[in-house]
Amino acid sequence: KDRPPWRLALARVGNPFSRGIAPRVCVIAMATAMFCSGNVPNASARRPSNGIERKSTSSSSSRLRVFSVTAKANRQGGQGQTARNRTAVRPSAISVPLPGTAGGGVIVTTEHNSGNGPIPSLRELRNAIPKECFVPDVQESLKYFAVDFSALLFCFGVLSPLVVDNPLLLPIYAPITGTVMWMNFVIGHDCGHGSFSGNKLLNAVIGHVTHAPLLVPFWPWAYSHKQHHRFHQHETKDMSHPWMTAETYQGTNPVVRWLALDHWWGAFLGFPGYLLLEQKWASTDGSHFWPASRLFDKAPKDERLKCAVSTLACAGFLGLTFAVTDSVGAWSMQYLAPYLCFSWWLFAVTYLQHHDEDTETYSETEWEYVLGGLQTIDRTFGFGVDRITHHITDCHVAHHMFTDMPHYNLEKATEGVVGVLEPRGLYKKRDTKDFVAKTFQLQRDVGHCIDRDRPRATVEEIKKSLGLTGFLEEK
């Protein structure tokens, strides 16, 4: 205890030349930086008991400082309010291990968990998962593809003509076919992550075969989806279902707000709009169908060519649907109605995975991969939905941390992840058998804005955006 803090830090690191220079140099640099700033963690300090204040204490003998990081999720009138305003920088979750802990990290307490332990490192989480979970079985993957794609062919080839002759079957046909379309999306989702097989060509072929009938351009979607995983819950870099500040929300075109963000029908129209719209005023990541899209400004050069291929695949299937239907009315019943149900499924599942009243987002200085990933929610839908949709609903935390696992291994992987996170109060799992009502309720009350009272589009804003104000005044 008489040694200075920098000697203690070096003792923790050991000989930098014993097992590789680079990792040790990084830790030495971190220890030095924390010593100079006085921010070396101290496990002996107690966490605040109220869960809403951020405190630090110092020790005169060792000049060590501890940060107890807390989140605010104040509830007023029975409604939750997301924690947004923070006054200090959150320490990295993957940091110098705390003395006496196996995983390392920082202590986190919130209103919704007891903060029993530090946030684990990514390595600790991965080590808790059986290694075989990361190995795709091509035969197993192809089996699931064959079953789901055959079901889709049955819906389009056998059931859809019956709907034309018996329109009263539409309320049954559309949800069933939309669900089967969603099942095929999950198969293509594995292909996009490379977890369907170890063969890139096979992944690309199956990805296009499963996604083209859904009008989802496979390669552009895979690119933006990887950015979503890479920067999950980052306030400015997350893609797909990002949170917006009130200012950004207000700056979104009012017609887009009215169609996709403000009201319940946004659950049906939001995803196709996200894929299609290029303009920044739409608050999308750029068009997934246009090779010159700003989506690919920082992407590898071949992504633009791949976008053209995926777009042609979608256009080819869309043209086929018009060719095999007798009229616009028949096309609307046979394809458009189930497509909108599929679009709802995609919105509902992905939205509920990453949104709730207590969900947090992080700024550039606060964000860290594991910290953002812990905001993911495993939701049990019940009624067999979790199984037929390949556990993308109730095993999503493990998937969000490690995308290189095929869906049929997620249950086993989740057991390992839960074993690490649950004792520390860091695992989010919620029974959501009311997932239909929950989707519309959260879309109404929370939406995509970090402020409770989001600036919804007004009639005057919509008129002005469409250039109708002056026209109507003249009339």
Side-chain angles (χ1 to χ4, degrees), residues 241 259-261 265-276 284 343 347:
H241 273 302
L259 288 174
L261 299 174
W265 50 79
F268 297 91
L269 303 179
F271 182 65
Y274 167 74
L275 292 178
L276 183 64
T284 63
S343 181
F347 177 93

Side-chain angles (χ1 to χ4, degrees), residues 380-391 393 433:
T380 303
F381 283 15
F383 312 108
V385 172
D386 305 305
R387 182 163 297 278
I388 67 172
T389 59
H390 310 307
H391 296 288
T393 51
K433 292 184 175 65

Side-chain angles (χ1 to χ4, degrees), residues 8 55 138 204 212 303-304 314 361 408 432 469:
L8 291 173
K55 297 181 179 180
V138 178
E303 288 293 338
R304 297 188 186 275
C314 293
T361 61
Y408 42 82
T432 318
T469 304

